[in-house]
Amino acid sequence: MNSPPQEHHLALLGFGNVGQAFARLLLEKENTLREEKGVAFRVTGIATGSHGRVIDPAGIDLEKALSLRQSGDPLDPISTSKTKTSRDFIQECPADVLFESTPVNYQTGQPALDYLRAALQRGMHVITANKGPVVHGYRELVDLTRNRGRSFLFESTVMDGAPVFSMARCGLPAAEVTGIRGILNSTTNLILTRMEQGQSQEEAVAYAQSMGIAETDPSGDLDGWDAAVKTAILVNVLMKTPLKLTDVDRTGIREINQKEIKEAAEKNKRWKLVCSAQRQEGRKSGVLAQVQPRLVEPSSPFYHLSGTSALLQVESDVLGTLTLQEEEPTTMTTAYGFLADFLNVVKNGTSSGQL
Amino acid sequence: MNSPPQEHHLALLGFGNVGQAFARLLLEKENTLREEKGVAFRVTGIATGSHGRVIDPAGIDLEKALSLRQSGDPLDPISTSKTKTSRDFIQECPADVLFESTPVNYQTGQPALDYLRAALQRGMHVITANKGPVVHGYRELVDLTRNRGRSFLFESTVMDGAPVFSMARCGLPAAEVTGIRGILNSTTNLILTRMEQGQSQEEAVAYAQSMGIAETDPSGDLDGWDAAVKTAILVNVLMKTPLKLTDVDRTGIREINQKEIKEAAEKNKRWKLVCSAQRQEGRKSGVLAQVQPRLVEPSSPFYHLSGTSALLQVESDVLGTLTLQEEEPTTMTTAYGFLADFLNVVKNGTSSGQL
């Protein structure tokens, strides 16, 4: 790179596992970004849920912030100003790009949806790891990017270990996506895999909870909500069709017990929680979207997906079935989605997640 | 789109199966490009190998060109000028973007490499479906794009039914690709599949030839040359490591006969021609790149790939194993690679295939 690197000012709203992993990744990739991409950055704000909010226009010492957070201490000692709320933080932090990873209610997308709206209105690029605001506010947020020269990206929201949206944006331009099919909820896939190894559903859920993969209340996974949210996002973004979360025909895996698992194994089949969407004439939304447990055979790529891996198949008018698969994603892969979105915003001039 | 569409002038160098499929796709997608992408185009030149060369600054009637070509007639009736050679065509055609799909010697990359060099020097964006010039001239051609504001893209050269390079460019920025592994030559995969169904290698080759998939001289496939070319391209582009075609450790499938196929089946295994590359300290190039027949087990995604499908796994420092699979690519999918590259050049400001 011959030109001096552009410096971008970054704000991290949310500093839990994902926010901290992103801070570590920024430190790790700082030289690569500067030397290979001509991109420099300064983190000017970090807002945590219960450990304070830091703003420093001169740049926050990320090592120090990570170390305070690791020891459970508040971040106040390194802040040069006091902000009372996350909303104030968005208004006051001198940043070009907001990275949002706060706790969210996926049935409403709040409060993340309000945060992203405010940040876009303030003129920031917005990058989120939260599915909630995308499924509930996609079109509104894309509209807010228009005529502002700002971006709204969300690579980490679906298959955070695989670049689903970047692939579609750059690899499938002017294509008409006619259908999708996938295993998108890794928690239920892990639970079903453990049940095949002899555990009851309750034991498998407890195992997933002990791994930090399932929530204390596992209903978001077991009842198919997480899978339905991801399906609705893919329909909105890839199939360019407005579809509400409640329009997804949703059945979870609660009814699948050892009896069903064993009967499937006897027929050399496996139960998988399959997400699908396809165009269907006559439906109000134009799309039939479903999340359902399905029996799959060894000839299906779905059959071979174990543990927390995930897989998506995309059908379009221009390519045959295109399959993208990730293996065992981690918090670091989610953080990398943030980094990829950041680079796409500042280097490729990507204006929004819209295809 | 509110702004009036930009009009781009396109030259097609090569008008065989791929060039004609691209012309049909341009006709089919013309309205979508104009209305959804704000992109308009005019094809100002078409050069065939033995049916003449057409230049018309006002725009060539693609329907008429396709119809003449279908009936085996030369294109001269619709040309407003005479050009004697493909080199003259590149110098004289008033175009911004050159789409190259001429017959090529993959051991030298010629004459395509000379064509692409001349077009870039003349200030055109260059998009090729030819592997030869990429494996032999990647770094030189990328260098020619620099400081010219021009692009060199080649999505159709490897897995033409899957957007390998677009995915890497937009989905893996600042990632370090540490290894790749795949089944990239669909002809040998089809031949091995037919041999498992009981055909001899000779019969399977004849079948692939009758399908128009294998060449009259099948050595490019059987001896692993095509797979080695693709492996070397992936090492150069994805792993950012200069590697010559002759640096690929290459073994084809000629030694695999019915005996080997049956012995593998008895052990519930399959033979696949596997391409791989991984960093290796101590090697001159820094990368061990191989094309070899390998026995794969049912637990491998390679095992389930039949017919002309293809699959690529990418290892990186930021994501787990990422798998991309295409099913049964056609000439239309190759043509779509041209279209995707075109849109990436004119809409996303992509400067070169370099990551």
Side-chain angles (χ1 to χ4, degrees), chain A residues 29 36-37 161-163 166 170-174 240 304 317-319 321-325 327 333 336 343-344 348, chain B residues 29 36 161-163 166 170-174 240 304 317-319 321-325 327 333 336 343-344 348 355:
Chain A
K29 291 284 185 183
E36 292 182 15
K37 301 281 168 185
S166 293
C170 299
L172 295 173
K240 300 178 190 174
H304 305 278
D317 63 338
V318 286
L319 298 181
T321 304
L322 184 63
T323 305
L324 194 60
Q325 186 176 326
E327 276 172 36
T333 59
Y336 178 69
L343 290 168
N344 278 304
N348 297 338
Chain B
K29 290 285 185 182
E36 292 183 15
S166 293
C170 299
L172 295 173
K240 301 180 190 174
H304 305 278
D317 63 338
V318 286
L319 298 180
T321 303
L322 185 63
T323 304
L324 194 60
Q325 184 176 328
E327 277 172 35
T333 59
Y336 177 69
L343 290 168
N344 278 304
N348 296 338
L355 301 195

Side-chain angles (χ1 to χ4, degrees), chain A residues 262-340:
Chain A
K262 280 182 189 145
E263 282 174 3
E266 281 161 15
K267 293 176 198 155
N268 203 22
K269 294 182 181 182
R270 301 180 78 180
W271 282 104
K272 294 289 175 188
L273 186 63
V274 174
C275 306
S276 66
Q278 58 195 63
R279 300 220 172 276
Q280 194 175 72
E281 299 287 325
R283 291 187 79 85
K284 196 179 147 206
S285 64
V287 168
L288 172 64
Q290 296 178 296
V291 171
Q292 287 182 335
R294 292 181 198 257
L295 277 175
V296 299
E297 305 190 356
S299 61
S300 160
F302 291 30
Y303 183 93
H304 305 278
L305 202 80
S306 289
T308 59
S309 298
L311 182 155
L312 176 67
Q313 295 189 319
V314 178
E315 304 281 349
S316 66
D317 63 338
V318 286
L319 298 181
T321 304
L322 184 63
T323 305
L324 194 60
Q325 186 176 326
E326 68 180 8
E327 276 172 36
E328 310 282 340
T330 63
T331 312
M332 179 50 87
T333 59
T334 314
Y336 178 69
F338 266 4
L339 186 72

Side-chain angles (χ1 to χ4, degrees), chain B residues 126-163:
Chain B
V126 161
I127 295 169
T128 184
N130 262 327
K131 292 175 284 291
V134 185
V135 76
H136 293 286
Y138 172 63
R139 257 143 226 284
E140 181 200 345
L141 295 170
V142 166
D143 283 344
L144 283 174
T145 65
R146 287 192 216 285
N147 306 320
R148 278 186 170 84
R150 290 297 173 269
S151 310
F152 165 48
L153 292 179
F154 41 82
E155 186 58 85
S156 298
T157 58
V158 180
M159 286 183 77
D160 53 4

Side-chain angles (χ1 to χ4, degrees), chain B residues 1-12:
Chain B
M1 289 290 158
N2 298 321
S3 50
Q6 280 181 277
E7 191 180 77
H8 301 275
H9 295 183
L10 318 184
L12 313 191

